[in-house]
Amino acid sequence: MSKFKSLHLVVVDWVDSAAHNGWRDWKEAAETQDTIQCRSVGFLLSKDKGRVALAGSITNNDDAGERHSIPKSCVIKMRSIEKFLQEEKERRPKAKE
C-alpha cells in the first residue's frame, strides 16, 4: 500500500458573490444586494497569485476529490487547521469551575 502525500490541511475564509431572482425596485435591489462570507476546509493542493486550490479528499494514489478553486482576490484569511483550532479555543468563553 502506498502512503498518502503530505499536504497541509487549511481553513480558508473567503467572500462569494450572491444572486437573487425575482423583480424588485432597482433602488431597493441596489441597497439589499450583498456578498456571502464562506469558510472552506481542505487539503491545500496549490496556492499562487491567482487562486487557492483545495481538495476535500485525497487518495494514496495521489488523486484529489471535491476540488475547490478560490480566486485569491476573494480570500479574506487562510491558516493551518492547527492555528484555526487554537483561535477557536481562545475565542470561546472559558468554562466555569
Side-chain angles (χ1 to χ4, degrees):
M1 178 187 261
S2 60
K3 294 185 178 184
F4 287 96
K5 188 175 274 186
S6 180
L7 295 172
H8 295 284
L9 194 53
V10 297
V11 178
V12 181
D13 294 340
W14 56 286
V15 65
D16 199 4
S17 60
H20 304 279
N21 61 2
W23 291 98
R24 269 194 156 158
D25 174 82
W26 68 270
K27 288 180 185 176
E28 181 185 345
E31 292 172 359
T32 59
Q33 198 70 0
D34 205 358
T35 56
I36 300 169
Q37 289 194 12
C38 305
R39 176 170 286 155
S40 297
V41 178
F43 295 97
L44 181 62
L45 299 176
S46 67
K47 177 176 77 169
D48 58 32
K49 290 192 315 188
R51 71 185 180 102
V52 172
L54 304 178
S57 299
I58 56 173
T59 71
N60 62 347
N61 296 327
D62 293 338
D63 292 327
E66 298 99 38
R67 295 174 313 278
H68 195 169
S69 182
I70 304 169
K72 196 77 178 271
S73 60
C74 296
V75 174
I76 299 167
K77 185 176 185 179
M78 183 172 77
R79 64 259 194 228
S80 69
I81 190 74
E82 295 85 4
K83 183 160 176 63
F84 170 77
L85 292 172
Q86 183 62 39
E87 289 172 355
E88 288 296 300
K89 184 178 178 182
E90 292 169 1
R91 190 175 65 85
R92 289 191 186 126
K94 294 186 180 185
K96 295 180 182 178
E97 295 181 12

